[in-house]
Amino acid sequence: MPAAHGPVVLPDAGPLITLAYADALDLLLKPGWPVVIVDMVLYEVMRNDTPTSAKIGAWVADRSIPIESTRTFAHYCDALAEALSQVRKANLGEIAVQEAMNALALSAPGTTGVFLFEDHKIARASFLLPDNCRKVSTRAWLLFLEGKGWIDSAADIERAAISNGRSFSRLRFPR
């Protein structure tokens, strides 16, 4: 992963899906920080034809978003190629993001990694990240953008995602 002068944003599948439902993927770019998509996460959002898969794929291609390769995805692909009957699928995106964050900590220790997540289980679980990395929920990201004046309303983005079909987490984080 290339070193950056500011934070690097690594979204999990959930925020990509929510922002795609809201037609707001460019909000990941609002602060001007590099966005990197982890290969396993991209595969997770693209492997099935969903209401957002084409939008996310087009956005990644149109914006030339870099894809971070991980051993996690390589092992998954190897298991698929070997036609193993019990190929693990659960939580591989999160594992791959952890791998990418650890790589960032080793290659660019002064760079802050921002792991953008939506699954409230990650907020509570012992999801371990290096000291230079932060976990940020989709809601917290939207509130950050609102607080900076870069969007008018975080709630409007959330409502747009929900009205377009997203089942958004009902867990609320304190403001």
Side-chain angles (χ1 to χ4, degrees), residues 1 6-8 10 98 100-115 129-135:
M1 183 175 306
V8 175
L10 290 103
Q98 281 183 308
M101 290 286 193
N102 285 319
L104 177 67
L106 292 171
S107 66
T111 300
T112 299
V114 178
F115 170 48
L129 293 175
D131 288 341
N132 65 320
C133 298
R134 305 291 176 263
K135 295 183 288 188

Side-chain angles (χ1 to χ4, degrees), residues 107-170:
S107 66
T111 300
T112 299
V114 178
F115 170 48
L116 202 58
F117 71 94
E118 190 157 314
D119 186 344
H120 63 273
K121 289 180 275 187
I122 292 172
R124 293 188 204 140
S126 59
F127 188 85
L128 301 175
L129 293 175
D131 288 341
N132 65 320
C133 298
R134 305 291 176 263
K135 295 183 288 188
V136 178
S137 72
T138 305
R139 275 199 183 95
W141 180 259
L142 293 173
L143 290 169
F144 163 72
L145 297 177
E146 180 184 274
K148 292 287 192 179
W150 294 333
I151 62 173
D152 291 332
S153 169
D156 286 350
I157 302 298
E158 182 178 333
R159 274 193 291 280
I162 292 168
S163 69
N164 289 328
R166 178 65 166 153
S167 298
F168 201 50
S169 170
R170 298 195 187 282

Side-chain angles (χ1 to χ4, degrees), residues 44-113:
E44 285 179 340
V45 298
M46 301 289 299
R47 71 177 158 212
N48 297 314
D49 185 21
T50 68
T52 60
S53 57
K55 284 182 188 180
I56 294 168
W59 180 79
V60 168
D62 292 348
R63 302 296 184 274
S64 300
I65 303 295
I67 309 302
E68 178 72 11
S69 297
T70 62
R71 292 184 322 271
T72 303
F73 185 59
H75 288 297
Y76 176 79
C77 291
D78 290 346
L80 284 180
E82 292 174 19
L84 297 176
S85 61
Q86 296 297 324
V87 177
R88 177 186 174 163
K89 293 180 186 174
N91 304 318
L92 289 180
E94 291 86 359
I95 292 168
V97 170
Q98 281 183 308
E99 180 185 331
M101 290 286 193
N102 285 319
L104 177 67
L106 292 171
S107 66
T111 300
T112 299

